[in-house]
Amino acid sequence: MPVYIASLNSGSNGNCYYVGNEHEAVLIDAGISCRETEKRMLRLGLSIKKIKAIFISHEHSDHIRGLAVLAKKYSLPVYVTDGTVHHCGDVPRELCFSLRSYESVQIGNLQVMPFPKHHDAVEPHSFMITNGDTRIGVFTDIGAPCEHLIRHFTQCHAVFLEANYDEQMLEQGRYPYFLKKRIRGGKGHLSNRQALEMFIAHRPPYMSHVLLAHLSKDNNNPELAVQLFAEHAGATHVSVASRYEESEIFVIDPPPLAPGESHSINQVTGQFQFALS
């Protein structure tokens, strides 16, 4: 069964990512207004009736700005950590369900696995969404790659991967020193270089799509980021998740494994292995 993914918006002005199959879908974060979420899904031909849950990565406003209205209007369950829920405004508590690291949540045929990440928030998490044998990663707002991120990145067929800033543009830009320090200080954001190093070192051979996400308006350039990755992408499609509009819908439908073949992950090292059973 194919998986459909799209960015509804990606950046400091709002983040919202769609992952679904033919029958159900989830949103990762709800950082744009309910009205804008509806408009962008409509333009893409996506039915909001397929949304069965919202998963919240952390409490910063660009990830929860539209949450309360969207959840209340459509009576959507919100999966959020116990520490984060207190910062999510007037979301009805009866719609909130506890999210815990490495406790997967089943939404129809979608399995959503939360895991911790480095970011300056209360209990920040990234997500890997599995549908059958297909795995999608939503990896943004990451101060530095860690073993949790590497382990899940090596399993994914497609990812939303943060490439927030160009290091030279940030250094020479107008931001005050304290903000530059926050961004590159290990609990802020990934640079283009860090994201590329992650991609080169840990991309599995079957990764078909990378959507570069959460690009800074002032300290990055979409063409620069794509060009940097293009030299190393091979057969992997690389594009940018825009901060101004929705992306196209990408269909992730890896070919079935041949009889007797399996993809496995070494859970200690996170390295990809190919095995014959």
Side-chain angles (χ1 to χ4, degrees), residues 1-4 20-24 109 131-134 252-254:
M1 183 186 299
V3 178
Y4 304 92
N21 56 37
E22 294 284 355
H23 305 293
E24 59 262 335
N109 287 318
N131 184 85
D133 293 324
T134 304
I252 314 302
D253 192 14

Side-chain angles (χ1 to χ4, degrees), residues 173-209:
R174 63 179 179 83
Y175 281 16
Y177 174 74
F178 78 89
L179 185 53
K180 293 179 181 180
K181 184 178 180 180
R182 178 207 166 231
I183 290 169
R184 61 192 178 196
K187 289 191 175 181
H189 296 281
L190 282 187
S191 70
N192 291 347
R193 177 187 58 82
Q194 289 174 302
L196 179 63
E197 289 175 353
M198 178 83 187
F199 177 75
I200 293 172
H202 302 292
R203 171 185 49 161
Y206 50 79
M207 183 175 283
S208 62
H209 291 74

Side-chain angles (χ1 to χ4, degrees), residues 56-148:
I56 297 301
S57 64
H58 63 292
E59 73 276 11
H60 292 165
S61 62
D62 55 322
H63 295 263
I64 63 168
R65 188 174 294 115
L67 176 62
V69 175
L70 185 64
K72 286 190 286 188
K73 182 173 181 178
Y74 293 100
S75 298
L76 291 171
V78 176
Y79 288 87
V80 57
T81 70
D82 294 342
T84 303
V85 70
H86 303 295
H87 303 272
C88 288
D90 59 346
V91 180
R93 290 302 180 259
E94 64 269 20
L95 293 178
C96 295
F97 295 84
S98 187
L99 187 75
R100 296 183 177 90
S101 298
Y102 285 101
E103 291 188 8
S104 64
V105 179
Q106 197 74 35
I107 305 293
N109 287 318
L110 300 172
Q111 185 183 70
V112 183
M113 176 64 76
F115 62 91
K117 62 183 178 182
H118 293 307
H119 194 54
D120 54 357
V122 176
E123 292 173 340
H125 281 73
S126 290
F127 300 95
M128 185 174 75
I129 303 96
T130 302
N131 184 85
D133 293 324
T134 304
R135 296 171 293 275
I136 310 298
V138 183
F139 308 143
T140 70
D141 295 77
I142 298 165
C146 64
E147 69 276 10
H148 304 288

Side-chain angles (χ1 to χ4, degrees), residues 210-277:
V210 171
L211 278 74
L212 302 178
H214 213 304
L215 272 68
S216 169
K217 178 183 177 182
D218 298 306
N219 302 306
N220 210 344
N221 179 286
E223 291 76 19
L224 173 65
V226 169
Q227 182 179 4
L228 191 66
F229 273 74
E231 299 175 15
H232 307 275
T236 302
H237 175 84
V238 178
S239 60
V240 168
S242 173
R243 62 184 292 115
Y244 300 110
E245 60 187 1
E246 67 276 16
S247 72
E248 64 180 283
I249 299 172
F250 295 95
V251 182
I252 314 302
D253 192 14
L257 296 171
E261 293 180 355
S262 66
H263 292 148
S264 65
I265 300 294
N266 184 317
Q267 293 300 321
V268 176
T269 66
Q271 296 301 304
F272 172 81
Q273 297 175 326
F274 180 78
L276 288 174
S277 58

